[in-house]
Amino acid sequence: MDQGRGAVQPDPRHDDRDDAEGAFIAAYDPRDYDPIAVTVDVVALTIRDGSLHVLLVQRGRPPFEGRWALPGGFVHSVRDEEDLPDAAVRELSEETSLRLSGEPEGSSEAGRAAAPAALARVHLEQLGTYGAPGRDPRMRVISVAYLAFAPELPDPEAGTDANEAEWVPVGSLGLPDAPGAGQRPGTTRRLAFDHARILADGLERARSKLEYTPLATAFCAPEFTIPELRAVYEAVWDEELHAGNFHRKVLSVPGFVESTGATTERGGRRGGPRPRLYRAGDARLLHPALLRPGREDEIR
Amino acid sequence: MDQGRGAVQPDPRHDDRDDAEGAFIAAYDPRDYDPIAVTVDVVALTIRDGSLHVLLVQRGRPPFEGRWALPGGFVHSVRDEEDLPDAAVRELSEETSLRLSGEPEGSSEAGRAAAPAALARVHLEQLGTYGAPGRDPRMRVISVAYLAFAPELPDPEAGTDANEAEWVPVGSLGLPDAPGAGQRPGTTRRLAFDHARILADGLERARSKLEYTPLATAFCAPEFTIPELRAVYEAVWDEELHAGNFHRKVLSVPGFVESTGATTERGGRRGGPRPRLYRAGDARLLHPALLRPGREDEIR
DNA sequence: TAAATAGTGTCTTTGAGACACTATTTC
DNA sequence: GAAATAGTGTCTCAAAGACACTATTTA
């Protein structure tokens, strides 16, 4: 352990430390720690046209100029000290025209954080940190990846450092374990850095989270129908679900959804009765969980 | 996104990048990224005397001198570029006398990694990253936390920067949601930095992992009995489990354990037949899972 | 011999999934 | 009217948990 070495910029906001802080300032040696660039990258997912999309930006600068990448960038620490989830929200709005007002609420700092904004209620949680030497050709960069679930949002506009920003169907990316994997690999848009791995990890996290949390509602409007919720599960899991059993199951899980008493104005575009409207309930975990069907093989 | 700025130390190991790498070197501006110190901290868990213990070190330097903390320290990036899991293993062995030879195997970089060494087979996985401004009074420090599951190990010796290193029962720490919470809070050993939060997150992760992965076997010797495995669950969950039902359940999950055909030499110290010996099976997920009993309340 | 424990049998309840069916809406 | 969909009823099978019971070992 060498967190005990050196002192620079003692932070006046820190109010839970021992005294005798001044003593070790003299012992500070900058070579004792290695400065490393820290970035955040965001896997932002949404449902469009019934399939799962991820927000990608086309890089406007080297390295990987012209290649597509996850939105992200360096964490600010000198000019303004920002928290990691704040940096993720900032990058998400900087890179695109998406405005995500409202501050993230986080119980556990490394855990989930939700941004219940006026316009967009986006769920944000930490995905993992990627720091292998060589993952950035320029220098040692450690990237803290965040995962965002968003309801359907407008088309993004490119940010300052990106040529373009776009919602891209994840099935078109030819990822190893992606829901829509298995199509012509020639069409594959190869992502910059190790972003294909980060995206794959984010997708697996999203699929898993839908099993035991009510986060599928984060992909929906504030009021939604059970069939809309089912479409979210089908898009993320890339599985067709039995409408009747899904309906009964959702209503049987305490706190998953609560009824508004209303129905939609119109039935489905190809017929059918008008479905009822629901809001997200107060459950934080689904009990019992909604398990993905047919995973007996992926277990070994 | 500003990962497109600047270039320093282009890494020759990186073989999957665009050409025209030279062009942007001239555009490098060190002020475009903010150097941040990166540390790793390890929540190392083991079972001793039937209860869950965590490895703590007593800090030998300010800040928080004399306080207990998770083992950890700065990631090396200048003198030798090390990967994050390597840094976690190094800190774990540096801080204590524990020798963890063998290199971590990791499928997903941000995911789990196991160190199947000769002496100690330790499971290592990334827990999360903690980077709030002010969490270290000296400077901006971002800590990547790792979670380790170890079988019973010898008492550690203190490392260079620590006064002491010790396996501490987690129940004695008075954590908000710890298994052994609820005892006199005056005895609480307050941890340095935000390590109480990191430890609490690690404990919750461990409890959850035991539900749907076979990682309880990582706390056991290579050959173990079902009652020993049950003791692991009882220690981590702080719940008494029904011996008969647990036994049948473990054997019914495909790939959880496999029989060695042998039994122990002696029965329990207070009587009973000699239990059979098992090895860890080849399952990576438990299906169906072993769910913690009585969690209906923690769901909202 | 008494007490403790390993391991199995059995019953009940819950839940998942297959299937059928009715009612409602759109084209 | 035809087709599609929302929502419910019902049946079967798997699994969790409660409880009982036997066999084996230690003190």
Side-chain angles (χ1 to χ4, degrees):
Chain A
M1 169 168 68
D2 40 16
Q3 284 193 341
R5 297 183 200 159
V8 63
Q9 296 177 359
D11 191 313
R13 279 169 292 180
H14 193 85
D15 56 356
D16 181 34
R17 60 178 196 257
D18 293 329
D19 40 13
E21 291 291 277
F24 64 88
I25 295 186
Y28 169 64
D29 180 354
R31 285 166 304 183
D32 278 348
Y33 69 93
D34 298 333
I36 299 178
V38 177
T39 65
V40 293
D41 290 308
V42 182
V43 178
L45 302 177
T46 197
I47 313 282
R48 300 195 130 203
D49 311 318
S51 76
L52 188 63
H53 287 58
V54 61
L55 183 64
L56 295 183
V57 298
Q58 194 177 29
R59 292 181 58 79
R61 308 176 179 228
F64 301 103
E65 185 169 4
R67 289 265 280 273
W68 291 81
L70 300 173
F74 291 106
V75 173
H76 294 174
S77 77
V78 173
R79 286 160 287 200
D80 54 299
E81 293 227 35
E82 64 182 351
D83 202 353
L84 296 175
D86 296 338
V89 170
R90 176 179 55 76
E91 291 295 341
L92 208 48
S93 55
E94 264 182 27
E95 301 285 355
T96 69
S97 67
L98 305 176
R99 284 289 143 218
L100 307 165
S101 51
E103 55 182 351
E105 58 172 51
S107 56
S108 156
E109 187 194 339
R112 78 192 62 166
L119 289 178
R121 308 148 350 282
V122 172
H123 166 81
L124 191 70
E125 67 179 50
Q126 194 182 102
L127 175 59
T129 297
Y130 299 77
R135 62 177 292 278
D136 188 307
R138 297 164 290 177
M139 58 181 299
R140 186 69 191 272
V141 174
I142 284 181
S143 176
V144 183
Y146 278 80
L147 179 63
F149 297 167
E152 188 151 346
L153 293 176
D155 274 316
E157 296 167 14
T160 47
D161 292 334
N163 285 331
E164 277 190 84
E166 222 175 80
W167 290 107
V168 175
V170 296
S172 75
L173 290 171
L175 295 173
D177 261 317
Q183 76 288 6
R184 61 280 163 204
T187 338
T188 295
R189 242 193 276 218
R190 278 163 62 235
L191 298 187
F193 303 106
D194 50 1
H195 288 187
R197 152 74 57 196
I198 297 175
L199 174 55
D201 290 350
L203 292 173
E204 178 50 36
R205 171 80 65 90
R207 284 178 225 130
S208 164
K209 279 269 175 172
L210 258 55
E211 291 190 301
Y212 55 91
T213 74
L215 283 176
T217 60
F219 288 106
C220 296
E223 297 198 347
F224 53 87
T225 67
I226 305 287
E228 281 167 359
L229 192 64
R230 175 164 46 87
V232 171
Y233 275 89
E234 290 178 332
V236 176
W237 286 351
D238 195 38
E239 304 248 18
E240 297 220 338
L241 300 177
H242 186 286
N245 288 340
F246 180 86
H247 191 104
R248 184 172 347 103
K249 170 69 181 175
V250 166
L251 294 185
S252 78
V253 176
F256 193 176
V257 299
E258 60 183 30
S259 175
T260 67
T263 68
T264 58
E265 289 298 309
R266 286 182 46 83
R269 70 182 57 190
R270 281 171 292 187
R274 297 182 299 180
R276 298 178 194 147
L277 284 168
Y278 295 86
R279 278 183 295 267
D282 61 351
R284 294 186 308 172
L285 293 172
L286 302 184
H287 188 81
L290 275 106
L291 298 179
R292 278 174 275 185
R295 297 224 313 147
E296 276 73 24
D297 28 331
E298 306 175 32
I299 283 168
R300 304 300 165 98
Chain B
M1 172 170 63
D2 41 16
Q3 281 193 342
R5 297 182 200 162
V8 63
Q9 297 178 359
D11 193 312
R13 280 169 293 181
H14 193 85
D15 55 356
D16 180 35
R17 61 178 193 258
D18 292 331
D19 39 14
E21 291 292 277
F24 63 89
I25 295 185
Y28 170 64
D29 181 352
R31 285 166 304 184
D32 278 346
Y33 70 93
D34 298 333
I36 299 178
V38 177
T39 64
V40 292
D41 289 308
V42 183
V43 177
L45 303 177
T46 197
I47 312 282
R48 302 194 130 205
D49 312 318
S51 76
L52 189 63
H53 286 58
V54 61
L55 183 63
L56 294 182
V57 298
Q58 194 176 31
R59 292 181 57 80
R61 308 176 179 229
F64 299 104
E65 184 169 5
R67 287 267 279 275
W68 292 80
L70 300 173
F74 290 107
V75 173
H76 294 174
S77 76
V78 173
R79 286 159 289 200
D80 55 299
E81 292 228 37
E82 64 182 352
D83 202 354
L84 297 175
D86 297 338
V89 171
R90 176 179 55 76
E91 290 295 341
L92 208 48
S93 56
E94 264 182 28
E95 300 285 356
T96 68
S97 66
L98 304 176
R99 284 290 142 216
L100 308 166
S101 51
E103 54 181 352
E105 58 171 51
S107 56
S108 158
E109 185 194 342
R112 78 192 62 166
L119 288 177
R121 310 154 340 288
V122 172
H123 166 82
L124 190 70
E125 68 180 50
Q126 195 182 101
L127 175 59
T129 297
Y130 299 76
R135 61 177 293 279
D136 188 308
R138 296 164 292 177
M139 57 180 299
R140 187 71 191 269
V141 175
I142 284 181
S143 176
V144 184
Y146 278 79
L147 179 63
F149 296 167
E152 188 151 347
L153 293 176
D155 273 316
E157 297 168 12
T160 48
D161 291 335
N163 286 332
E164 276 191 85
E166 221 175 81
W167 289 108
V168 176
V170 296
S172 75
L173 290 170
L175 295 173
D177 260 318
Q183 76 287 9
R184 60 278 161 205
T187 339
T188 295
R189 242 192 276 218
R190 276 165 63 236
L191 298 187
F193 303 105
D194 50 2
H195 288 187
R197 153 72 58 195
I198 297 176
L199 173 56
D201 290 349
L203 292 173
E204 179 50 35
R205 170 81 65 90
R207 283 177 225 130
S208 164
K209 279 269 175 173
L210 258 55
E211 291 190 299
Y212 55 92
T213 73
L215 283 176
T217 60
F219 289 107
C220 296
E223 297 196 348
F224 54 86
T225 68
I226 304 287
E228 280 166 0
L229 192 64
R230 176 164 46 88
V232 170
Y233 275 89
E234 290 178 332
V236 175
W237 286 351
D238 196 37
E239 303 249 17
E240 297 220 338
L241 300 178
H242 186 285
N245 289 339
F246 180 86
H247 191 104
R248 184 172 347 103
K249 169 71 181 176
V250 166
L251 294 185
S252 78
V253 176
F256 193 178
V257 299
E258 60 183 29
S259 175
T260 68
T263 69
T264 58
E265 289 298 310
R266 286 182 44 82
R269 70 181 56 189
R270 280 171 291 186
R274 298 182 298 180
R276 298 176 195 151
L277 285 168
Y278 295 86
R279 279 185 293 269
D282 60 353
R284 295 185 308 172
L285 293 172
L286 301 183
H287 187 81
L290 275 106
L291 298 179
R292 280 174 273 184
R295 297 224 312 149
E296 276 73 24
D297 28 332
E298 305 177 31
I299 281 168
R300 306 301 166 96

